[in-house]
């Protein structure tokens, strides 16, 4: 599900709003205890993030979210650290990074669960399922959502010099293309 761009933040009770997380898009799949991961351009990156292999959900699942690295000094996310991590080739360096500067997976959607395709359910139903099955921990977390008030969230993320926000129509189905049901609103100067 790809984002279209909106020019300005807005308020609308038909939408949920989320902060746009610095990092890169990650589709994570676990099937029969094997975990695999792909970037938005369908490049497999499973070996890059061994700390994400133990998925805190029972059964087979496909998740959509953002992989992020936190700067140790201030706990803010940093795109540069994730890009650096994605480029590592040597197993020893990947292992060292996963220990000293582990990534975090911020999840915003669940696409499959135990053989059931959830993409045809409305976003709010998929989110409800995700909240019930995910056991959040220091590696896996749900993205924060604000209902209806995108302008306030936008001001908050802009004050924190974050990238922007994402607006998602509550009744949106998950489609494998660009859709006006999901909109990105970039913070000025990002």
């Amino acid at each position: 599900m790809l984002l279209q761009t909106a020019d300005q933040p807005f308020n609308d009770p038909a939408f949920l709003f989320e902060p746009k997380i610095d990092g890169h898009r990650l589709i994570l799949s676990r099937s029969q205890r094997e975990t695999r991961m792909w970037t938005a351009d369908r490049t497999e990156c499973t070996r890059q993030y061994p700390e994400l292999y133990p998925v805190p959900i029972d059964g087979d699942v496909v998740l959509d979210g953002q992989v992020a690295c936190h700067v140790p000094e201030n706990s803010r996310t940093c795109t540069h650290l994730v890009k650096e991590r994605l480029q590592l080739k040597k197993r020893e360096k990947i292992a060292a990074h996963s220990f000293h500067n582990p990534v975090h997976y911020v999840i915003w959607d669940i696409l499959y669960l135990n053989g059931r395709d959830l993409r045809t359910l409305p976003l709010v139903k998929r989110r409800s399922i995700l909240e019930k099955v995910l056991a959040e921990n220091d590696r896996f977390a749900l993205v924060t959502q604000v209902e209806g008030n995108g302008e306030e969230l936008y001001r908050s993320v802009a004050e924190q010099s974050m990238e922007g926000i994402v607006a998602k129509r509550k009744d949106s189905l998950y489609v494998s293309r660009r859709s006006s049901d999901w909109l990105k609103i970039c913070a000025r100067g990002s």
Side-chain angles (χ1 to χ4, degrees):
M1 184 104 176
L2 300 174
L3 307 169
Q4 287 193 0
T5 302
D7 294 329
Q8 302 206 70
F10 59 93
N11 293 332
D12 189 328
F15 281 82
L16 295 170
F17 297 89
E18 304 168 353
K20 196 162 180 340
I21 308 296
D22 288 333
H24 77 76
R25 185 92 175 253
L26 185 78
I27 300 290
L28 182 147
S29 170
R30 198 219 14 242
S31 177
Q32 311 238 339
R33 297 191 181 141
E34 179 186 30
T35 300
R36 296 181 69 191
M37 297 167 234
W38 294 269
T39 63
D41 66 358
R42 298 187 178 121
T43 301
E44 185 164 359
C45 57
T46 302
R47 67 187 300 257
Q48 301 306 120
Y49 307 116
E51 65 271 41
L52 298 181
Y53 293 173
V55 181
I57 294 177
D58 290 332
D60 297 344
V61 68
V62 177
L63 302 168
D64 190 358
Q66 194 88 343
V67 66
C69 279
H70 290 94
V71 178
E73 298 80 41
N74 61 20
S75 294
R76 295 187 56 191
T77 58
C78 177
T79 302
H80 172 74
L81 290 174
V82 174
K83 287 181 180 178
E84 181 181 295
R85 177 72 178 275
L86 192 57
Q87 299 305 313
L88 295 177
K89 302 289 184 219
K90 295 187 178 185
R91 192 165 292 184
E92 301 81 27
K93 285 192 174 197
I94 292 169
H97 277 259
S98 68
F99 181 77
H100 295 292
N101 195 15
V103 296
H104 305 273
Y105 188 41
V106 183
I107 305 161
W108 57 68
D109 217 331
I110 184 168
L111 312 181
Y112 293 91
L113 180 63
N114 295 322
R116 182 175 173 211
D117 186 347
L118 306 176
R119 295 174 298 169
T120 58
L121 298 176
L123 174 64
V124 291
K125 180 65 177 165
R126 295 192 312 271
R127 175 67 180 222
S128 175
I129 292 168
L130 182 56
E131 288 172 354
K132 288 176 185 161
V133 300
L134 178 68
E136 291 185 87
N137 60 34
D138 59 341
R139 298 286 168 263
F140 290 79
L142 291 169
V143 70
T144 302
Q145 288 185 327
V146 173
E147 198 168 330
N149 193 344
E151 292 174 0
E152 184 177 327
L153 180 62
Y154 181 86
R155 279 191 297 277
S156 175
V157 301
E159 287 171 5
Q160 298 174 55
S161 299
M162 292 175 69
E163 190 174 340
I165 65 171
V166 176
K168 296 179 180 177
R169 189 171 289 282
K170 290 179 184 180
D171 63 356
S172 62
L173 309 181
Y174 193 99
V175 295
S176 298
R177 58 179 161 72
R178 198 162 301 283
S179 171
S180 60
D181 286 342
W182 287 17
L183 304 167
K184 67 179 172 183
I185 302 117
C186 294
R188 289 167 186 78
S190 291

